[in-house]
Amino acid sequence: MGEASMSLKAALADVSDEVDRRFDALLEVPDDPRADLYRAMRHAAIGGGKRLRPLLTHATARLFGVDRDCSGRAGLAIECIHVYSLIHDDLPAMDNDDMRRGKPTVHKAFDEATAILAGDCLHALAFEVLSDPATHADPFVRAELVLDLARAAGPSGMAGGQMMDIEAERSNFDLLAVTRLQALKTGALIASAVEAGAILGKVPPEGRTSLRGYARDVGLAFQIADDLLDHEGDEAKMGKRLHKDADAGKETFLSLLGVDRAREQARMLVDQALTHLHSYGAEADLLRDIARFTLERDR
Amino acid sequence: MGEASMSLKAALADVSDEVDRRFDALLEVPDDPRADLYRAMRHAAIGGGKRLRPLLTHATARLFGVDRDCSGRAGLAIECIHVYSLIHDDLPAMDNDDMRRGKPTVHKAFDEATAILAGDCLHALAFEVLSDPATHADPFVRAELVLDLARAAGPSGMAGGQMMDIEAERSNFDLLAVTRLQALKTGALIASAVEAGAILGKVPPEGRTSLRGYARDVGLAFQIADDLLDHEGDEAKMGKRLHKDADAGKETFLSLLGVDRAREQARMLVDQALTHLHSYGAEADLLRDIARFTLERDR
């Protein structure tokens, strides 16, 4: 957990419990031939991960006095998308990973067909959760949440970034191309987690500019930190295979900038993220802690 | 095209052109490393398929005087889900099919990773299209469209049915289990296509009972006809491999009922579907023609 502040530690622990509880309720195993499908979703969704995205949604939503159940449901939907993307990314045809968060990946613990379907189901459930009236009483808010998350997940966002990542093995990406790849692959969903908090708070789009700047900077800093952890981290603690990009000959922030400049760049992005929050008071301290945490985490 | 009435033939041709045009606009190939991702989506989405679901949405929406662009967008979203499901179902880990609609499947024409991502992207695009204000001015309608389609696509619908289909190879399904499997695997999305037309028409849920009955019966009749075509059809005309279920030792309506009783059952379902429309006048003739067409199609 590195140097995370006490309040951030508590917030991370809280949101982990909460997301597990929400997944437990969402993914009750039925007594029919779909039981393994639900078990596979539970295997991937429950008991792991930093829950950074749901925490960002809560931390943003609290700026605008949003009901915590609403932001919890929106965070759950975003985590559904994140978890589905991990299941599909781990497949043999994609990254071919056997371990994730210290456990066998879904296609290893079950089989490939079940893993593909478990990912597809979590993908659909994200939008079922968001569009349910329980997420927000105002249908305009629900529709906007769906629109933003669908864009963040699809070809202009996460899945598009994943495709770029595949192409990155075949061609030489420069710093601009890697930045764009990561802005889509991991940045879009992190941005959507922050945006969801503002949408729930009924902040009009023109009032979200500084929060969008914050999210963009945090997303990039998070990815650079990920590259550094991949380089310096401990496979046992990380619970997954490391050095994959280097082994695949893919360019990363680290390979393009080197360790020192990458670390400096991440620090600069965190400072910039904090600057975007200057108009907010103590109510944004959790967002500030999250920005600093991107550099300090050790897994 | 079998004995389809002239007006149905015209409607099928119209909706085919329309869906192709809409996919063409939605899937413009970008000049960046995602180009193959878009090409793969276009390969699967454009120029094939009966477009039964978008036609059902139009045919239902016209009962309530819905703007044709609105029902066209909703139908496009449902077809996005249908096409994504075909891409994923064809994957080696699933049905392992090389041909679809007379063309190589996406993972054959491109590769498996691209096929997985192309499916994922069409899945997200469905919800992006539905939640866009262009689909309906009323956000309540947009949110309801999303909720209904997400349920129809996820573990309680299509993807859950696909999981049951995989389990059907391992256990002995009886008629009830096969009916439930098909109600989810193909029925849920067909029902959602009809439901979308009613949602766009702002018909309250209690006013949709007869249309739901119609959709359920048409969905089942369609599936029984599919089994019959699989048994009697022409591989060249169908553009895909046939007799897969029998080869895999899976029970189907046909294996459980035999040809004659299956055909009789499908006819009875179509009659029942027509009965559900008794309160509608000539404006429902297209829905009636579609119900009859399920038995008469030859591909």
Side-chain angles (χ1 to χ4, degrees), chain B residues 137-162:
Chain B
D138 184 343
F140 184 83
V141 167
R142 301 199 297 274
E144 210 182 353
L145 288 171
V146 169
L147 184 57
D148 191 75
L149 185 59
R151 281 185 182 147
S156 311
M158 184 187 74
Q162 182 62 21

PDB file of all heavy atoms in Angstrom, chain B residues 137-162:
ATOM      1  N   ALA B 137     -35.775  11.564 -28.188  1.00  0.00           N
ATOM      2  CA  ALA B 137     -35.616  12.822 -27.454  1.00  0.00           C
ATOM      3  C   ALA B 137     -35.830  12.630 -25.955  1.00  0.00           C
ATOM      4  O   ALA B 137     -35.274  13.373 -25.148  1.00  0.00           O
ATOM      5  CB  ALA B 137     -36.591  13.868 -27.995  1.00  0.00           C
ATOM      6  N   ASP B 138     -36.632  11.635 -25.577  1.00  0.00           N
ATOM      7  CA  ASP B 138     -36.963  11.425 -24.163  1.00  0.00           C
ATOM      8  C   ASP B 138     -35.937  10.488 -23.512  1.00  0.00           C
ATOM      9  O   ASP B 138     -35.823   9.322 -23.886  1.00  0.00           O
ATOM     10  CB  ASP B 138     -38.374  10.802 -24.073  1.00  0.00           C
ATOM     11  CG  ASP B 138     -38.842  10.641 -22.635  1.00  0.00           C
ATOM     12  OD1 ASP B 138     -37.999  10.688 -21.712  1.00  0.00           O
ATOM     13  OD2 ASP B 138     -40.057  10.459 -22.437  1.00  0.00           O
ATOM     14  N   PRO B 139     -35.177  11.002 -22.522  1.00  0.00           N
ATOM     15  CA  PRO B 139     -34.150  10.152 -21.906  1.00  0.00           C
ATOM     16  C   PRO B 139     -34.726   8.925 -21.196  1.00  0.00           C
ATOM     17  O   PRO B 139     -34.040   7.905 -21.072  1.00  0.00           O
ATOM     18  CB  PRO B 139     -33.463  11.085 -20.895  1.00  0.00           C
ATOM     19  CG  PRO B 139     -34.407  12.204 -20.667  1.00  0.00           C
ATOM     20  CD  PRO B 139     -35.208  12.350 -21.928  1.00  0.00           C
ATOM     21  N   PHE B 140     -35.982   9.011 -20.762  1.00  0.00           N
ATOM     22  CA  PHE B 140     -36.601   7.844 -20.130  1.00  0.00           C
ATOM     23  C   PHE B 140     -36.690   6.692 -21.128  1.00  0.00           C
ATOM     24  O   PHE B 140     -36.431   5.538 -20.790  1.00  0.00           O
ATOM     25  CB  PHE B 140     -38.002   8.206 -19.602  1.00  0.00           C
ATOM     26  CG  PHE B 140     -38.647   7.075 -18.846  1.00  0.00           C
ATOM     27  CD1 PHE B 140     -38.351   6.863 -17.508  1.00  0.00           C
ATOM     28  CD2 PHE B 140     -39.531   6.209 -19.474  1.00  0.00           C
ATOM     29  CE1 PHE B 140     -38.922   5.813 -16.807  1.00  0.00           C
ATOM     30  CE2 PHE B 140     -40.117   5.145 -18.788  1.00  0.00           C
ATOM     31  CZ  PHE B 140     -39.803   4.954 -17.453  1.00  0.00           C
ATOM     32  N   VAL B 141     -37.048   7.036 -22.358  1.00  0.00           N
ATOM     33  CA  VAL B 141     -37.115   6.023 -23.418  1.00  0.00           C
ATOM     34  C   VAL B 141     -35.732   5.435 -23.684  1.00  0.00           C
ATOM     35  O   VAL B 141     -35.563   4.210 -23.780  1.00  0.00           O
ATOM     36  CB  VAL B 141     -37.710   6.634 -24.711  1.00  0.00           C
ATOM     37  CG1 VAL B 141     -37.510   5.710 -25.900  1.00  0.00           C
ATOM     38  CG2 VAL B 141     -39.183   6.956 -24.503  1.00  0.00           C
ATOM     39  N   ARG B 142     -34.721   6.292 -23.762  1.00  0.00           N
ATOM     40  CA  ARG B 142     -33.360   5.799 -24.036  1.00  0.00           C
ATOM     41  C   ARG B 142     -32.894   4.855 -22.918  1.00  0.00           C
ATOM     42  O   ARG B 142     -32.346   3.781 -23.186  1.00  0.00           O
ATOM     43  CB  ARG B 142     -32.377   6.974 -24.170  1.00  0.00           C
ATOM     44  CG  ARG B 142     -32.753   7.950 -25.272  1.00  0.00           C
ATOM     45  CD  ARG B 142     -31.579   8.812 -25.708  1.00  0.00           C
ATOM     46  NE  ARG B 142     -31.030   9.691 -24.693  1.00  0.00           N
ATOM     47  CZ  ARG B 142     -31.474  10.911 -24.398  1.00  0.00           C
ATOM     48  NH1 ARG B 142     -32.516  11.422 -25.045  1.00  0.00           N
ATOM     49  NH2 ARG B 142     -30.878  11.655 -23.471  1.00  0.00           N
ATOM     50  N   ALA B 143     -33.113   5.269 -21.664  1.00  0.00           N
ATOM     51  CA  ALA B 143     -32.673   4.434 -20.540  1.00  0.00           C
ATOM     52  C   ALA B 143     -33.417   3.096 -20.536  1.00  0.00           C
ATOM     53  O   ALA B 143     -32.835   2.048 -20.243  1.00  0.00           O
ATOM     54  CB  ALA B 143     -32.870   5.176 -19.221  1.00  0.00           C
ATOM     55  N   GLU B 144     -34.698   3.142 -20.883  1.00  0.00           N
ATOM     56  CA  GLU B 144     -35.474   1.895 -20.893  1.00  0.00           C
ATOM     57  C   GLU B 144     -35.011   0.971 -22.033  1.00  0.00           C
ATOM     58  O   GLU B 144     -34.965  -0.246 -21.871  1.00  0.00           O
ATOM     59  CB  GLU B 144     -36.968   2.219 -21.025  1.00  0.00           C
ATOM     60  CG  GLU B 144     -37.839   1.188 -20.336  1.00  0.00           C
ATOM     61  CD  GLU B 144     -39.327   1.464 -20.499  1.00  0.00           C
ATOM     62  OE1 GLU B 144     -39.700   2.533 -21.035  1.00  0.00           O
ATOM     63  OE2 GLU B 144     -40.114   0.582 -20.106  1.00  0.00           O
ATOM     64  N   LEU B 145     -34.707   1.549 -23.187  1.00  0.00           N
ATOM     65  CA  LEU B 145     -34.173   0.748 -24.298  1.00  0.00           C
ATOM     66  C   LEU B 145     -32.890   0.039 -23.870  1.00  0.00           C
ATOM     67  O   LEU B 145     -32.685  -1.152 -24.147  1.00  0.00           O
ATOM     68  CB  LEU B 145     -33.878   1.633 -25.513  1.00  0.00           C
ATOM     69  CG  LEU B 145     -35.062   2.200 -26.304  1.00  0.00           C
ATOM     70  CD1 LEU B 145     -34.561   3.231 -27.324  1.00  0.00           C
ATOM     71  CD2 LEU B 145     -35.836   1.089 -27.015  1.00  0.00           C
ATOM     72  N   VAL B 146     -32.014   0.779 -23.190  1.00  0.00           N
ATOM     73  CA  VAL B 146     -30.740   0.202 -22.743  1.00  0.00           C
ATOM     74  C   VAL B 146     -30.993  -0.929 -21.753  1.00  0.00           C
ATOM     75  O   VAL B 146     -30.419  -2.021 -21.884  1.00  0.00           O
ATOM     76  CB  VAL B 146     -29.852   1.285 -22.087  1.00  0.00           C
ATOM     77  CG1 VAL B 146     -28.651   0.639 -21.387  1.00  0.00           C
ATOM     78  CG2 VAL B 146     -29.381   2.293 -23.121  1.00  0.00           C
ATOM     79  N   LEU B 147     -31.864  -0.674 -20.776  1.00  0.00           N
ATOM     80  CA  LEU B 147     -32.131  -1.685 -19.747  1.00  0.00           C
ATOM     81  C   LEU B 147     -32.671  -2.964 -20.379  1.00  0.00           C
ATOM     82  O   LEU B 147     -32.216  -4.074 -20.060  1.00  0.00           O
ATOM     83  CB  LEU B 147     -33.123  -1.123 -18.718  1.00  0.00           C
ATOM     84  CG  LEU B 147     -33.448  -2.025 -17.519  1.00  0.00           C
ATOM     85  CD1 LEU B 147     -32.185  -2.417 -16.767  1.00  0.00           C
ATOM     86  CD2 LEU B 147     -34.430  -1.325 -16.568  1.00  0.00           C
ATOM     87  N   ASP B 148     -33.620  -2.817 -21.295  1.00  0.00           N
ATOM     88  CA  ASP B 148     -34.210  -4.007 -21.901  1.00  0.00           C
ATOM     89  C   ASP B 148     -33.186  -4.771 -22.752  1.00  0.00           C
ATOM     90  O   ASP B 148     -33.090  -5.999 -22.672  1.00  0.00           O
ATOM     91  CB  ASP B 148     -35.427  -3.631 -22.753  1.00  0.00           C
ATOM     92  CG  ASP B 148     -36.188  -4.883 -23.158  1.00  0.00           C
ATOM     93  OD1 ASP B 148     -36.882  -5.448 -22.297  1.00  0.00           O
ATOM     94  OD2 ASP B 148     -36.049  -5.323 -24.314  1.00  0.00           O
ATOM     95  N   LEU B 149     -32.393  -4.058 -23.534  1.00  0.00           N
ATOM     96  CA  LEU B 149     -31.418  -4.747 -24.394  1.00  0.00           C
ATOM     97  C   LEU B 149     -30.292  -5.373 -23.571  1.00  0.00           C
ATOM     98  O   LEU B 149     -29.825  -6.478 -23.882  1.00  0.00           O
ATOM     99  CB  LEU B 149     -30.847  -3.785 -25.445  1.00  0.00           C
ATOM    100  CG  LEU B 149     -29.909  -4.441 -26.469  1.00  0.00           C
ATOM    101  CD1 LEU B 149     -30.607  -5.545 -27.251  1.00  0.00           C
ATOM    102  CD2 LEU B 149     -29.330  -3.409 -27.436  1.00  0.00           C
ATOM    103  N   ALA B 150     -29.858  -4.680 -22.519  1.00  0.00           N
ATOM    104  CA  ALA B 150     -28.786  -5.233 -21.677  1.00  0.00           C
ATOM    105  C   ALA B 150     -29.247  -6.539 -21.038  1.00  0.00           C
ATOM    106  O   ALA B 150     -28.490  -7.514 -20.984  1.00  0.00           O
ATOM    107  CB  ALA B 150     -28.366  -4.222 -20.611  1.00  0.00           C
ATOM    108  N   ARG B 151     -30.486  -6.567 -20.564  1.00  0.00           N
ATOM    109  CA  ARG B 151     -31.015  -7.804 -19.976  1.00  0.00           C
ATOM    110  C   ARG B 151     -31.110  -8.905 -21.024  1.00  0.00           C
ATOM    111  O   ARG B 151     -30.799 -10.066 -20.757  1.00  0.00           O
ATOM    112  CB  ARG B 151     -32.403  -7.552 -19.391  1.00  0.00           C
ATOM    113  CG  ARG B 151     -32.350  -6.873 -18.046  1.00  0.00           C
ATOM    114  CD  ARG B 151     -33.757  -6.766 -17.452  1.00  0.00           C
ATOM    115  NE  ARG B 151     -33.708  -6.073 -16.169  1.00  0.00           N
ATOM    116  CZ  ARG B 151     -34.675  -5.277 -15.701  1.00  0.00           C
ATOM    117  NH1 ARG B 151     -35.776  -5.063 -16.423  1.00  0.00           N
ATOM    118  NH2 ARG B 151     -34.544  -4.705 -14.531  1.00  0.00           N
ATOM    119  N   ALA B 152     -31.552  -8.534 -22.224  1.00  0.00           N
ATOM    120  CA  ALA B 152     -31.711  -9.525 -23.292  1.00  0.00           C
ATOM    121  C   ALA B 152     -30.369 -10.082 -23.755  1.00  0.00           C
ATOM    122  O   ALA B 152     -30.286 -11.218 -24.223  1.00  0.00           O
ATOM    123  CB  ALA B 152     -32.457  -8.905 -24.470  1.00  0.00           C
ATOM    124  N   ALA B 153     -29.309  -9.281 -23.638  1.00  0.00           N
ATOM    125  CA  ALA B 153     -27.997  -9.706 -24.140  1.00  0.00           C
ATOM    126  C   ALA B 153     -27.204 -10.501 -23.110  1.00  0.00           C
ATOM    127  O   ALA B 153     -26.392 -11.348 -23.473  1.00  0.00           O
ATOM    128  CB  ALA B 153     -27.184  -8.478 -24.572  1.00  0.00           C
ATOM    129  N   GLY B 154     -27.430 -10.237 -21.827  1.00  0.00           N
ATOM    130  CA  GLY B 154     -26.562 -10.736 -20.764  1.00  0.00           C
ATOM    131  C   GLY B 154     -26.865 -12.146 -20.291  1.00  0.00           C
ATOM    132  O   GLY B 154     -27.426 -12.964 -21.023  1.00  0.00           O
ATOM    133  N   PRO B 155     -26.478 -12.437 -19.040  1.00  0.00           N
ATOM    134  CA  PRO B 155     -26.591 -13.804 -18.514  1.00  0.00           C
ATOM    135  C   PRO B 155     -28.035 -14.285 -18.352  1.00  0.00           C
ATOM    136  O   PRO B 155     -28.273 -15.489 -18.324  1.00  0.00           O
ATOM    137  CB  PRO B 155     -25.880 -13.724 -17.154  1.00  0.00           C
ATOM    138  CG  PRO B 155     -25.896 -12.282 -16.784  1.00  0.00           C
ATOM    139  CD  PRO B 155     -25.830 -11.529 -18.071  1.00  0.00           C
ATOM    140  N   SER B 156     -28.996 -13.361 -18.246  1.00  0.00           N
ATOM    141  CA  SER B 156     -30.407 -13.767 -18.184  1.00  0.00           C
ATOM    142  C   SER B 156     -31.018 -13.847 -19.567  1.00  0.00           C
ATOM    143  O   SER B 156     -32.221 -14.090 -19.710  1.00  0.00           O
ATOM    144  CB  SER B 156     -31.221 -12.767 -17.354  1.00  0.00           C
ATOM    145  OG  SER B 156     -30.594 -12.512 -16.134  1.00  0.00           O
ATOM    146  N   GLY B 157     -30.194 -13.617 -20.583  1.00  0.00           N
ATOM    147  CA  GLY B 157     -30.692 -13.637 -21.956  1.00  0.00           C
ATOM    148  C   GLY B 157     -29.743 -14.415 -22.865  1.00  0.00           C
ATOM    149  O   GLY B 157     -29.370 -15.551 -22.557  1.00  0.00           O
ATOM    150  N   MET B 158     -29.357 -13.757 -23.957  1.00  0.00           N
ATOM    151  CA  MET B 158     -28.603 -14.414 -25.023  1.00  0.00           C
ATOM    152  C   MET B 158     -27.327 -15.126 -24.553  1.00  0.00           C
ATOM    153  O   MET B 158     -27.113 -16.306 -24.870  1.00  0.00           O
ATOM    154  CB  MET B 158     -28.268 -13.353 -26.071  1.00  0.00           C
ATOM    155  CG  MET B 158     -27.579 -13.842 -27.298  1.00  0.00           C
ATOM    156  SD  MET B 158     -27.072 -12.432 -28.324  1.00  0.00           S
ATOM    157  CE  MET B 158     -25.665 -11.810 -27.371  1.00  0.00           C
ATOM    158  N   ALA B 159     -26.481 -14.421 -23.802  1.00  0.00           N
ATOM    159  CA  ALA B 159     -25.212 -15.035 -23.395  1.00  0.00           C
ATOM    160  C   ALA B 159     -25.450 -16.182 -22.410  1.00  0.00           C
ATOM    161  O   ALA B 159     -24.735 -17.191 -22.441  1.00  0.00           O
ATOM    162  CB  ALA B 159     -24.276 -13.981 -22.788  1.00  0.00           C
ATOM    163  N   GLY B 160     -26.460 -16.045 -21.551  1.00  0.00           N
ATOM    164  CA  GLY B 160     -26.829 -17.152 -20.666  1.00  0.00           C
ATOM    165  C   GLY B 160     -27.298 -18.358 -21.469  1.00  0.00           C
ATOM    166  O   GLY B 160     -26.961 -19.509 -21.150  1.00  0.00           O
ATOM    167  N   GLY B 161     -28.068 -18.108 -22.524  1.00  0.00           N
ATOM    168  CA  GLY B 161     -28.530 -19.194 -23.392  1.00  0.00           C
ATOM    169  C   GLY B 161     -27.379 -19.859 -24.118  1.00  0.00           C
ATOM    170  O   GLY B 161     -27.371 -21.090 -24.311  1.00  0.00           O
ATOM    171  N   GLN B 162     -26.394 -19.069 -24.496  1.00  0.00           N
ATOM    172  CA  GLN B 162     -25.215 -19.632 -25.165  1.00  0.00           C
ATOM    173  C   GLN B 162     -24.461 -20.572 -24.208  1.00  0.00           C
ATOM    174  O   GLN B 162     -23.973 -21.628 -24.615  1.00  0.00           O
ATOM    175  CB  GLN B 162     -24.322 -18.485 -25.647  1.00  0.00           C
ATOM    176  CG  GLN B 162     -23.079 -18.908 -26.402  1.00  0.00           C
ATOM    177  CD  GLN B 162     -23.381 -19.662 -27.679  1.00  0.00           C
ATOM    178  OE1 GLN B 162     -24.471 -19.569 -28.223  1.00  0.00           O
ATOM    179  NE2 GLN B 162     -22.427 -20.454 -28.137  1.00  0.00           N
TER     180      GLN B 162
END
